[in-house]
Amino acid sequence: MDMQRRNFLKIAGVTALAGISAPVVVNLTSSALASSDQGQTAVAHPAPSGAHGEDAPQGVRLGLLIDMRKLYGHPELLDKATAACHKVHNVPKIDNKKSEIKWIWKTPFANAFTDQSNNHASKTARENDFLVLCNHCDEPPCVRVCPTKATFKDKKTGIVAMDYHRCIGCRFCMMGCPYGARSFNWMDPQPFIKELNPNFPARMRGVVEKCNFCGERLVLGKEPACVEALKEVGAIVFGDLNDPQSEIRRILDKEHTIQRQAALGTKPSVFYIV
Amino acid sequence: MIEKALKGNSNYWMWLAFLSAFIAVGGICYLRQFLYGMHLTGMGRDLSWGLYISQFTFLVGVAAGGLMLVLPYYIHNYKAFGRITILGEFLAIASIVMCLMFIMADIGQPLRGLNMILHPTPNSMLFWDMVVLLGYLGLNVICGWVILTAERKQVKPPKWVYFFVYLSLPFAVSIHTVTAMLYCGLPGRHFWLSAITAPRFLASAFAAGPALIVIACLVMKRIAHFDAGQEAIKKLTTIIMYAALINAFFVGLEFFVGWYSNIPGHKHSLEYLFFGLEHHGHVYNNLVPFMWTSVFFCFGGLALFGYMKIKDAFNDAWVGIGCLMIFIALWLDKGLGFVMGGLVVNPLDEIVEYYPTANEIGITLGIWATGFFLVTVLYKIAIKVEHEVEG
């Protein structure tokens, strides 16, 4: 109980910090990616006022780009990203498809891109798995349907976040999400967490959870866990979609990308190069 | 007036004891779920709504069905319904109580239920569903109780109560419309994403609610000397026929849209429900027998009613069987097929079938028994008052 409260206070503090220092965070995420060896120095520098804040009238919108070309033939890399994420976020490992919890996982092309699979898919598409996760939509249906605002869109970053302490567990958000990105704690998750990360709250049963774009790591100047895990191949790029100077935007401007279920109008923030 | 429910013959008490047994088992099952978690249900990551929500959906319809008695009596001054209007109102009360219990059974953190009110969120249809359900419950309690009290005292009901009576009419429509909106506004759930969901819900509600009331009237005629009158029952069966036909018509339209457009997402759920869905060499068809039972019971009941209308025959047993068939048909259609059919294909095009667990069924039966208990007690009070007035 005490431990839980302490964790909660810690996270509450970090979250508050995230709110206050959002511009710094975002500056950090975009520049840290461009030159990751200077990542630590970037923390020290506050965002130059108006440098790119004014260029992005809609504010910051964090997004993620998965370059699948760098992952084909390497399913172990996909597992590595999943393991890294699930470890830092205390995601329980429940070996039961009915009750399992997952934030980022691999799935065949036809399952990830249900509206884009066809009878003559390429060998690459047929033989490789693809990473899927919460899309942190610009128009998130989960936020629209939540009856308690337990899931909400952080205006400063565009992250679709969860308040595990407000969630009543109605699972309406799981109905609303067209990506199957959300998991419900059907049982107490604690016994299924191998190694508890004390810096992130473990959930209690009866609440919904999902990928949070590593909001808690961003405020500390770190990259999302999956990005870091695949750093060696640079398969995932994370940054501000509204900042034309960010690395993610430069790649988006250059490469053809696809999104999951784009026709539904949710405006996902996760892009794929396939 | 509550004291009237405390006097009854041994059959009355036996029946209540029988229901109480189910309630007790349901209570124990719920305690297990509350203490150990919802993995005791058959629901899972892909099928995250199940029996509870489907029962809730069906029972909202039963509650709204009371409109078919209240509206003719108060708006069209159809006197034949005078004796049974109160039954519609009391059935609505019991149904909504069941609905609220099913919602509480379904949520993962029931102790945080008040968050719905502490953090009101108008963009969520669940918030509005709570508003209209509580509103409709309150209206029926007020109208039912005040009008029954007036009848007992053999005076006219106070004028102010008619304001609430008339207000309850749009509320009855709204509870089922908003409940349909829980489903029909979700991107990526093709079976539910249909503008006809709300009208279809209403049509089936206007058949299922009155069917249950007719059955109750026939039972009470035998055991409690309460005669609703042949004219009222006949009129109700007419209403049930039209409503059930319109519901079947709407289901047919869903088939047309799915098969003529040939869009897989629009067909999958109906294929699964009625023919079995083939996927990677395996045919998933758990619900096929249930859905065809629903079809045969629906048209069987309609044929029976049709025959009685044409021949101008009237027979309590036939009416009862017809109503029971239609009620079961609509329960299978909405209380089973609608939710489970809509969820069988998950957003990642995987197929997951649903098997409710014993614990979950125990809770479900317990809540149904609570509803029947409440209906029994309320109807007992209503009949006693009518008997008292008629001397």
Side-chain angles (χ1 to χ4, degrees):
Chain A
M1 186 69 206
D2 238 359
M3 198 57 194
Q4 265 185 7
R5 174 167 297 179
R6 201 146 87 219
N7 281 337
F8 167 69
L9 289 174
K10 243 187 230 167
I11 294 306
V14 169
T15 318
L17 197 69
I20 297 160
S21 58
V24 187
V25 173
V26 170
N27 181 38
L28 168 116
T29 50
S30 51
S31 57
L33 277 161
S35 50
S36 59
D37 50 327
Q38 293 166 15
Q40 285 311 306
T41 10
V43 187
H45 294 288
S49 56
H52 53 255
E54 285 166 7
D55 291 337
Q58 299 134 304
V60 174
R61 181 172 163 205
L62 294 176
L64 190 138
L65 185 145
I66 303 176
D67 189 345
M68 283 305 303
R69 294 173 304 188
K70 296 176 178 171
L71 297 170
Y72 291 142
H74 296 286
E76 75 282 359
L77 287 176
L78 307 185
D79 292 333
K80 197 179 165 196
T82 304
C85 164
H86 288 190
K87 186 163 181 281
V88 298
H89 293 117
N90 293 323
V91 175
K93 176 133 186 57
I94 299 169
D95 290 320
N96 167 358
K97 203 159 173 354
K98 184 165 95 75
S99 303
E100 71 178 343
I101 292 175
K102 44 193 184 184
W103 285 26
I104 177 168
W105 70 99
K106 61 179 185 187
T107 192
F109 184 84
N111 298 104
F113 300 93
T114 52
D115 52 347
Q116 296 180 40
S117 62
N118 63 42
N119 289 334
H120 300 287
S122 71
K123 199 163 175 289
T124 321
R126 272 182 286 126
E127 291 177 356
N128 284 285
D129 278 340
F130 291 72
L131 273 180
V132 290
L133 68 158
C134 170
N135 278 280
H136 294 274
C137 307
D138 215 19
E139 301 281 348
C142 54
V143 170
R144 202 181 309 143
V145 300
C146 177
T148 61
K149 302 188 192 81
T151 191
F152 55 94
K153 198 164 173 59
D154 178 17
K155 286 204 176 67
K156 295 200 172 78
T157 58
I159 292 178
V160 176
M162 276 289 305
D163 182 343
Y164 307 120
H165 298 267
R166 189 184 281 189
C167 174
I168 60 171
C170 69
R171 308 188 294 290
F172 204 178
C173 55
M174 297 173 79
M175 293 294 136
C177 177
Y179 303 102
R182 291 172 163 269
S183 308
F184 181 73
N185 285 279
W186 297 97
M187 53 183 104
D188 180 14
Q190 300 256 7
F192 300 92
I193 303 170
K194 257 183 259 158
E195 208 182 318
L196 193 77
N197 170 16
N199 296 318
F200 196 77
R203 276 70 64 192
M204 65 197 305
R205 76 178 150 82
V207 299
V208 173
E209 61 180 77
K210 65 163 195 76
C211 157
N212 65 346
F213 260 3
C214 284
E216 86 288 356
R217 288 168 60 89
L218 299 180
V219 284
L220 300 174
K222 294 182 188 165
E223 298 177 315
C226 55
V227 178
E228 195 180 88
L230 300 185
K231 199 80 195 162
E232 45 183 308
V233 288
I236 309 183
V237 178
F238 184 77
D240 180 7
L241 296 173
N242 283 347
D243 173 8
Q245 307 301 323
S246 66
E247 190 191 356
I248 189 167
R249 269 293 293 275
R250 272 189 277 132
I251 300 175
L252 284 172
D253 288 346
K254 206 172 71 191
E255 303 277 359
H256 175 66
T257 52
I258 61 169
Q259 294 187 299
R260 295 175 65 202
Q261 307 274 23
L264 296 180
T266 55
K267 299 181 189 160
S269 300
V270 175
F271 297 80
Y272 294 83
I273 301 177
V274 295
Chain B
M1 283 196 293
I2 290 174
E3 76 282 354
K4 298 200 184 306
L6 299 176
K7 269 191 219 147
N9 57 20
S10 58
N11 283 343
Y12 173 70
W13 291 111
M14 290 255 285
W15 169 241
L16 290 187
F18 174 74
L19 292 174
S20 301
F22 279 96
I23 297 171
V25 172
I28 292 165
C29 289
Y30 181 70
L31 216 57
R32 268 166 54 83
Q33 181 186 303
F34 184 81
L35 294 175
Y36 298 122
M38 294 190 68
H39 65 285
L40 295 180
T41 68
M43 294 183 275
R45 194 181 190 280
D46 296 307
L47 245 157
S48 49
W49 277 355
L51 208 50
Y52 301 146
I53 291 290
S54 64
Q55 299 314 292
F56 156 80
T57 307
F58 178 73
L59 286 166
V60 171
V62 174
L67 180 70
M68 289 295 103
L69 283 77
V70 177
L71 190 138
Y73 181 66
Y74 286 107
I75 301 289
H76 300 285
N77 202 20
Y78 184 68
K79 295 286 185 212
F81 282 177
R83 283 169 69 87
I84 55 171
T85 303
I86 187 78
L87 301 184
E89 286 162 340
F90 280 175
L91 181 64
I93 293 174
S95 302
I96 301 261
V97 169
M98 280 191 268
C99 288
L100 296 174
M101 289 175 81
F102 274 117
I103 289 286
M104 289 312 279
D106 188 68
I107 63 178
Q109 286 288 338
L111 299 181
R112 292 185 191 159
L114 276 182
N115 279 2
M116 297 262 295
I117 295 161
L118 297 173
H119 307 285
T121 313
N123 48 272
S124 173
M125 284 301 122
L126 208 50
F127 168 77
W128 290 109
D129 214 27
M130 176 195 70
V131 170
V132 291
L133 282 175
L134 292 179
Y136 192 59
L137 178 62
L139 286 170
N140 276 293
V141 169
I142 293 171
C143 299
W145 210 254
V146 169
I147 290 170
L148 194 63
T149 310
E151 190 183 335
R152 185 188 179 201
K153 293 178 182 156
Q154 304 200 34
V155 295
K156 277 195 165 177
K159 281 234 168 64
W160 59 264
V161 85
Y162 287 99
F163 170 77
F164 294 105
V165 169
Y166 294 132
L167 189 61
S168 78
L169 304 177
F171 257 83
V173 177
S174 78
I175 56 169
H176 222 20
T177 304
V178 179
T179 303
M181 285 170 174
L182 294 179
Y183 297 99
C184 68
L186 304 175
R189 304 278 179 189
H190 302 289
F191 183 50
W192 297 342
L193 191 73
S194 165
I196 214 165
T197 303
R200 187 183 149 194
F201 272 17
L202 285 167
S204 85
F206 294 155
L212 197 57
I213 290 171
V214 170
I215 294 168
C217 287
L218 296 175
V219 171
M220 291 189 295
K221 188 175 169 187
R222 287 194 150 224
I223 60 168
H225 312 293
F226 173 82
D227 191 3
Q230 214 185 85
E231 191 193 341
I233 300 287
K234 272 186 172 169
K235 185 61 83 182
L236 276 177
T237 56
T238 307
I239 292 171
I240 294 166
M241 278 179 79
Y242 277 111
L245 268 175
I246 293 170
N247 179 56
F249 173 59
F250 287 167
V251 176
L253 290 176
E254 295 279 17
F255 270 97
F256 173 80
V257 169
W259 263 260
Y260 199 80
S261 74
N262 202 28
I263 298 173
H266 288 278
K267 289 200 298 190
H268 280 159
S269 294
L270 288 169
E271 267 179 315
Y272 169 69
L273 290 174
F274 288 92
F275 312 111
L277 185 57
E278 195 268 320
H279 188 71
H280 291 315
H282 187 278
V283 179
Y284 298 86
N285 55 8
N286 273 354
L287 287 177
V288 171
F290 293 97
M291 295 315 287
W292 285 105
T293 306
S294 168
V295 171
F296 286 121
F297 274 24
C298 178
F299 286 104
L302 283 171
L304 194 56
F305 284 155
Y307 176 79
M308 285 193 296
K309 299 276 175 212
I310 292 165
K311 291 277 173 188
D312 202 21
F314 185 88
N315 177 321
D316 279 0
W318 290 359
V319 171
I321 290 167
C323 284
L324 197 62
M325 284 171 86
I326 285 180
F327 185 78
I328 292 171
L330 295 171
W331 179 77
L332 290 167
D333 171 35
K334 195 158 70 178
L336 218 53
F338 184 78
V339 173
M340 287 151 211
L343 288 177
V344 71
V345 182
N346 80 0
L348 286 102
D349 261 4
E350 295 157 336
I351 300 194
V352 186
E353 283 190 292
Y354 174 70
Y355 296 91
T357 60
N359 201 70
E360 194 176 6
I361 293 171
I363 295 175
T364 304
L365 289 177
I367 296 176
W368 271 97
T370 312
F372 275 110
F373 191 103
L374 214 57
V375 165
T376 307
V377 168
L378 289 172
Y379 279 16
K380 173 94 180 162
I381 294 171
I383 291 173
K384 275 270 180 95
V385 168
E386 301 218 4
H387 282 171
E388 197 178 277
V389 171
E390 286 157 12

